[in-house]
Amino acid sequence: DGGITQSPKYLFRKEGQNVTLSCEQNLNHDAMYWYRQDPGQGLRLIYYSQIVNDFQKGDIAEGYSVSREKKESFPLTVTSAQKNPTAFYLCASSIGLRGTTTDTQYFGPGTRLTVL
Amino acid sequence: SQKIEQNSEALNIQEGKTATLTCNYTNYSPAYLQWYRQDPGRGPVFLLLIRENEKEKRKERLKVTFDTTLKQSLFHITASQPADSATYLCALEGSGGGADGLTFGKGTHLIIQP
């Protein structure tokens, strides 16, 4: 059963705490992405990675960190430096640079983070 | 900077009619454009891709057009059904080409009324 999974589905955090959101894919995709979605807003790119051990900042990287130690995994840490972390977080993957230039993305089910 | 505009107001369509959604963009010359469907509380799902040299693309009841002169794409759902109710997102390749992700519009919420 191929796909992209995110966990947990719901996450609650106290102010000042770091939390890590999991993203795993078994699609053999090289590229992985993290987006944030707020109500009534489009998806905004946080970080992306085209290859293992390499990643790039997106449009709203401040207060977030990522790692890409394995091809299948791209965890996102929301740090205490992120001033407004309550949002819906979506992870996606795509074939990446070795594929065609039409980078269709496959999304996970999302994690809803709430800061208490 | 690149900008994508989709009608932010909900679109109400009677069942059986054709729903037409609009995506306009500025400061872009994308090689392709994609449409996604998103249901509440779920991740977007890819529907269709159209390239800059294609005028129209069809998939079952879905049709997408791409006018690079007008910088506009239209997304049509024919014989609409209540199950088509969702938010539809338009996406374009990022400024660095497709390798650095997509830029998404805010989406149009479509409601098909029985």
Side-chain angles (χ1 to χ4, degrees):
Chain A
D1 186 22
I4 180 165
T5 59
Q6 292 184 241
S7 62
K9 187 170 179 63
Y10 298 96
L11 186 58
F12 298 89
R13 186 194 96 174
K14 293 181 180 179
E15 283 195 38
Q17 284 183 336
N18 293 354
V19 288
T20 297
L21 283 59
S22 169
C23 179
E24 304 278 334
Q25 55 97 1
N26 61 3
L27 300 169
N28 196 33
H29 286 171
D30 286 321
M32 297 187 74
Y33 311 85
W34 274 104
Y35 294 91
R36 168 182 172 141
Q37 187 174 37
D38 295 281
Q41 300 294 315
L43 279 67
R44 291 185 290 169
L45 184 64
I46 304 173
Y47 268 98
Y48 65 98
S49 168
Q50 289 293 331
I51 196 169
V52 174
N53 292 323
D54 186 53
F55 47 83
Q56 305 296 328
K57 292 182 179 180
D59 300 320
I60 55 165
E62 185 175 352
Y64 300 97
S65 66
V66 294
S67 63
R68 187 84 188 276
E69 298 176 0
K70 298 188 301 182
K71 186 176 184 177
E72 301 81 14
S73 179
F74 191 41
L76 173 74
T77 297
V78 184
T79 75
S80 56
Q82 170 50 236
K83 298 306 179 187
N84 186 22
T86 295
F88 188 49
Y89 290 86
L90 287 159
C91 180
S93 70
S94 67
I95 291 175
L97 295 173
R98 63 182 168 85
T100 67
T101 57
T102 56
D103 216 23
T104 300
Q105 297 193 2
Y106 297 80
F107 284 85
T111 292
R112 188 166 300 279
L113 173 64
T114 303
V115 174
L116 304 174
Chain B
S1 62
Q2 301 159 333
K3 190 174 180 181
I4 302 173
E5 289 185 354
Q6 293 186 256
N7 190 344
S8 59
E9 295 180 3
L11 182 62
N12 285 271
I13 299 293
Q14 195 73 28
E15 181 178 6
K17 303 292 186 183
T18 296
T20 299
L21 286 65
T22 304
C23 174
N24 296 299
Y25 59 92
T26 57
N27 300 327
Y28 252 120
S29 293
Y32 60 85
L33 183 148
Q34 301 184 21
W35 284 89
Y36 289 76
R37 168 181 172 146
Q38 186 176 23
D39 290 287
R42 308 188 74 153
V45 175
F46 170 76
L47 295 175
L48 279 169
L49 178 149
I50 186 166
R51 300 173 192 271
E52 61 179 340
N53 60 349
E54 298 175 318
K55 295 295 184 186
E56 181 180 297
K57 202 78 168 281
R58 291 176 184 263
K59 179 183 176 182
E60 298 174 351
R61 293 185 297 110
L62 308 180
K63 185 179 82 171
V64 172
T65 63
F66 193 11
D67 189 326
T68 55
T69 300
L70 293 178
K71 293 187 181 294
Q72 180 181 80
S73 174
L74 299 178
F75 177 82
H76 307 271
I77 304 176
T78 59
S80 60
Q81 305 166 1
D84 295 325
S85 298
T87 296
Y88 291 86
L89 305 171
C90 165
L92 293 154
E93 60 180 324
S95 57
D100 62 348
L102 300 171
T103 299
F104 287 83
K106 294 182 180 181
T108 296
H109 184 41
L110 176 65
I111 301 169
I112 306 299
Q113 297 175 334

